[in-house]
Amino acid sequence: MAFTFTLKHALTIPVEVDSINHAAVQQLSADEVRALPVLQGNQRAKLADFFDVKQSASEADLMVWVGDCSRVKAIGAELSSGVIRIEGNAGMHLGREMSGGQIQVQGDVADNLATAMRGGEIQIAGNAGDLVGAAWPGSKRGMNGGTILIRGNAGREAGHRMRRGVIVVGGDLGDAAGFDMIAGSIFSFGKIGACPGAGMRRGTIAALGTVAEPELLPTFKYSCQYRPAWLSFFLHELKSVGFPVPEDCLNAEYRRYCGDFLTLGKGEVLVRQ
């Protein structure tokens, strides 16, 4: 079954909808879904208080959220299968702890996108806030698998303590990308903020654009300049799925910096020449 949730009116107090997931709704009628509990602040409410709900058999395992959902939190929390499409903006904690399936957002996304993500794919047409694919506060591990594709900009500390997975940003990337990164890959086609890879142990952070070189910590050391064969294959694959990749990126040369030597020192930052 496919469900469409259309926002009735603009929200001033955030609504948390982590109870509205594929496992919960697939065996329910539209009336039962309307009665599912949500939270507005610390007050318990029903989904129907905020959204019109329509059910359709046109597509299997699809959920569509329509309207400015920038104050709707935890859409797609713990998603393991199916597709979620958001026709507008999305709020905090989108796709938190998801392990499979796909989320498509046609607008912008607030902070804490895909916290502790373990699998699946997220595509953002607009911008994303801080802490993309990051760890929960106090947790030793953030993103542990999956793919996040952001066509716009992303904020600070993307990939904080990430262990596996891929984050691609078409625009600018904020300060401290890959902070305490354990492994995984982060790519940006725009400007990268200060101190990328601070505390990283392994993994790759790549500045693919032609803007100014990122401000690296002194605990990174220049290694060499070369043309990574694996990166060319990755960028061709990225282009094949419709992500905008400039042609002059595909076979460019990159300066390689190793670090962070305050930790294990097996990470790398690649800067396009």
Side-chain angles (χ1 to χ4, degrees):
M1 285 292 180
F3 283 90
T4 300
F5 311 115
T6 303
L7 190 65
K8 292 181 176 181
H9 51 77
L11 299 172
T12 56
I13 300 174
V15 173
E16 191 159 348
V17 297
D18 55 337
S19 62
I20 316 301
N21 55 59
H22 280 74
V25 307
Q26 287 305 309
Q27 305 303 320
L28 301 180
S29 68
D31 286 338
E32 289 172 320
V33 172
R34 292 184 186 101
L36 287 173
V38 297
L39 284 176
Q40 185 175 42
N42 60 359
Q43 300 296 314
R44 194 177 179 89
K46 296 179 181 178
L47 181 66
D49 295 335
F50 308 102
F51 290 90
D52 288 321
V53 178
K54 291 185 178 180
Q55 188 178 29
S56 168
S58 59
E59 294 183 66
D61 220 7
L62 170 68
M63 294 171 65
V64 181
W65 297 80
V66 181
D68 182 8
C69 295
S70 54
R71 292 184 183 271
V72 181
K73 300 169 63 176
I75 296 175
E78 300 182 15
L79 179 69
S80 59
S81 63
V83 176
I84 294 176
R85 186 169 71 244
I86 302 170
E87 297 178 357
N89 301 324
M92 295 176 64
H93 299 297
L94 176 75
R96 72 185 189 198
E97 298 184 18
M98 69 180 285
S99 58
Q102 186 181 73
I103 298 177
Q104 305 164 357
V105 183
Q106 295 178 1
D108 299 332
V109 178
D111 297 344
N112 300 100
L113 166 65
T115 302
M117 181 183 187
R118 302 192 303 278
E121 180 178 281
I122 298 177
Q123 298 181 15
I124 310 297
N127 303 315
D130 297 338
L131 296 165
V132 172
W136 289 109
S139 175
K140 294 182 179 180
R141 181 175 293 179
M143 183 178 177
N144 197 34
T147 301
I148 301 174
L149 305 178
I150 302 167
R151 294 201 174 211
N153 304 321
R156 299 185 298 260
E157 295 188 37
H160 173 221
R161 292 182 180 169
M162 73 183 293
R163 175 64 180 84
R164 292 185 181 89
V166 176
I167 299 173
V168 181
V169 179
D172 296 339
L173 186 57
D175 294 344
F179 177 58
D180 276 354
M181 185 176 179
I182 302 167
S185 301
I186 301 175
F187 304 91
S188 173
F189 289 89
K191 179 182 177 181
I192 293 184
C195 305
M200 75 186 299
R201 301 177 190 176
R202 295 183 178 87
T204 298
I205 299 173
L208 304 172
T210 56
V211 293
E213 184 166 326
E215 180 185 334
L216 296 176
L217 291 169
T219 47
F220 281 79
K221 296 181 180 179
Y222 174 78
S223 171
C224 63
Q225 179 172 313
Y226 77 125
R227 183 179 291 111
W230 67 267
L231 183 56
S232 179
F233 283 112
F234 172 78
L235 293 176
H236 277 94
E237 181 65 23
L238 191 61
K239 187 176 181 181
S240 73
V241 299
F243 199 89
V245 177
E247 287 291 335
D248 55 1
C249 265
L250 298 176
N251 294 296
E253 290 194 342
Y254 293 82
R255 295 186 296 280
R256 183 175 189 263
Y257 297 87
C258 299
D260 184 338
F261 284 103
L262 282 180
T263 56
L264 188 62
K266 293 187 177 181
E268 64 177 4
V269 176
L270 302 178
V271 180
R272 181 178 167 189
Q273 176 63 42

